[in-house]
Amino acid sequence: MTSHNTSSEKQTAAGRENQGTAVPSSARALTWSRRAEAWKKNWKIFLEDRAGVAGAIVLILVILVAVFAPLIADRSMLDVTQNLDNPRYASPSAEHPLGTDNYGRELWARLVWGARVSLIVGVAATAMSMIIGTIMGIAAGHFTGWVGGLIMRVIDFFLVLPSLLLAIVLSSVLERGVFTIVIAIGVTSWAGTARIVRAQTLSAESRLYIERAKVLGAGHWHIITSHLLPAVMPLVLANTTLTVGGAIIAESTLAFLGLGDTTQQSWGTILKNSMDVSAATSGYWWFILTPGLAIVAVVLAFTLVGRAIEAIANPTLRSR
């Protein structure tokens, strides 16, 4: 009798263990299924936005050009000593599609190699800005008392401080290079993101599931990583694509002011070279127009993609 009861208890315990393992696995599968359906729905909405799709196509082409720059234009085309036979300031023609610069270098080759630095700086500086802004914004919205107040004062300080002026100071003090420009732009452009993330965090904090998590004894780390971060990520992603364009313009501005790395090709450096030779007053319009149109096209493409993603994150914008 005792052995029979013992075996029954073992079977019951085994059944409970099986149920305990089956429930989480089924719940996990349901979660991934819902996420897949959400991704398909969002992808369909994105494809319906013609402007966003056009921007994405432009970005893909520019990224491919930047990645395969050594195959498209040999690096020797950037060497001044190997282009002595080329005419200087040649206007666009069949032989020189985008014209040449003051050293006889093909502008299309400089444009191809410049896409690398401009995209790297834009993406890397935006990533740094988004990380800092997201952390500070969530902390400012989640924590109360003097901690939240102190974080907000830091955010307000960087908001009122001219970002371009601070970036110029950092670029002047630190050693010149691409990494310095990334730091200068990333450190000075996160405050706007922090304000947006803080507003979204405050909205998420008022929801019942977060209140329930607090009542059940969830700590700050669990609430931030499991609830607040997923709630603000769609907005952060949309804001990221919009910020990349601003970072590319900032890099071009710093390079135009002579604070960039002169050993690296970038679209801002080409503009700086055109200013040095007074291309605007000398009639060398292609020297200015070529990098200027490249910057405008990429910034516009990032903006269009950002607007499309923002419409997915905020459904109220779709009807506008």
Side-chain angles (χ1 to χ4, degrees):
M1 185 70 177
T2 305
S3 61
H4 177 70
N5 292 336
T6 304
S7 61
S8 300
E9 291 176 357
K10 290 181 179 179
Q11 292 176 358
T12 304
R16 290 175 180 174
E17 291 178 357
N18 291 334
Q19 291 178 357
T21 56
V23 172
S25 62
S26 60
R28 192 178 298 108
L30 180 61
T31 301
W32 281 107
S33 176
R34 290 179 177 177
R35 289 178 180 176
E37 292 177 0
W39 275 103
K40 291 179 181 178
K41 180 181 177 180
N42 293 337
W43 178 248
K44 183 178 180 181
I45 295 173
F46 181 82
L47 292 179
E48 293 175 354
D49 192 324
R50 296 182 179 179
V53 173
I57 292 174
V58 172
L59 290 181
I60 291 173
L61 291 176
V62 174
I63 292 172
L64 290 176
V65 168
V67 171
F68 296 104
L71 301 179
I72 299 175
D74 191 82
R75 198 172 184 84
S76 61
M77 300 181 69
L78 306 177
D79 191 351
V80 177
T81 60
Q82 299 188 29
N83 291 275
L84 299 177
D85 296 334
N86 284 353
R88 298 190 304 165
Y89 303 116
S91 60
S93 60
E95 187 177 358
H96 309 287
L98 296 180
T100 61
D101 62 4
N102 53 319
Y103 290 109
R105 294 174 295 184
E106 296 287 349
L107 282 179
W108 70 266
R110 297 189 64 184
L111 205 68
V112 167
W113 282 92
R116 281 190 160 190
V117 174
S118 297
L119 287 179
I120 289 174
V121 171
V123 174
T126 300
M128 179 182 294
S129 174
M130 290 299 105
I131 292 173
I132 299 175
T134 302
I135 294 174
M136 296 294 287
I138 291 179
H142 175 69
F143 294 104
T144 58
W146 68 270
V147 177
L150 179 62
I151 297 174
M152 276 305 304
R153 297 296 77 78
V154 175
I155 295 175
D156 292 338
F157 172 77
F158 278 91
L159 276 175
V160 300
L161 190 67
S163 58
L164 180 59
L165 180 60
L166 182 57
I168 291 174
V169 172
L170 290 176
S171 300
S172 302
V173 173
L174 300 177
E175 183 181 356
R176 292 188 181 183
V178 175
F179 185 67
T180 299
I181 295 180
V182 170
I183 294 177
I185 298 174
V187 169
T188 58
S189 60
W190 59 267
T193 302
R195 294 284 297 195
I196 296 174
V197 172
R198 177 181 178 271
Q200 185 69 11
T201 302
L202 292 175
S203 176
E205 284 276 356
S206 62
R207 295 174 185 173
L208 294 178
Y209 66 89
I210 293 184
E211 292 291 339
R212 184 168 59 248
K214 291 180 180 178
V215 172
L216 293 175
H220 296 296
W221 179 255
H222 175 79
I223 293 175
I224 291 174
T225 57
S226 300
H227 300 296
L228 295 180
L229 190 59
V232 303
M233 279 308 296
L235 186 62
V236 172
L237 180 61
N239 192 52
T240 298
T241 54
L242 295 174
T243 309
V244 173
I248 292 177
I249 293 178
E251 183 276 331
S252 302
T253 303
L254 293 176
F256 181 77
L257 295 175
L259 299 174
D261 188 358
T262 56
T263 62
Q264 297 287 339
Q265 295 292 330
S266 73
W267 297 337
T269 303
I270 301 176
L271 286 175
K272 174 65 169 56
N273 296 150
S274 68
M275 183 190 69
D276 293 338
V277 297
S278 302
T281 58
S282 302
Y284 309 136
W285 54 268
W286 59 89
F287 207 163
I288 303 173
L289 193 63
T290 298
L293 288 178
I295 294 172
V296 170
V298 172
V299 171
L300 179 60
F302 272 111
T303 302
L304 294 177
V305 173
R307 293 297 182 187
I309 297 177
E310 188 179 16
I312 295 175
N314 188 2
T316 58
L317 298 177
R318 297 174 194 169
S319 59
R320 298 182 180 180

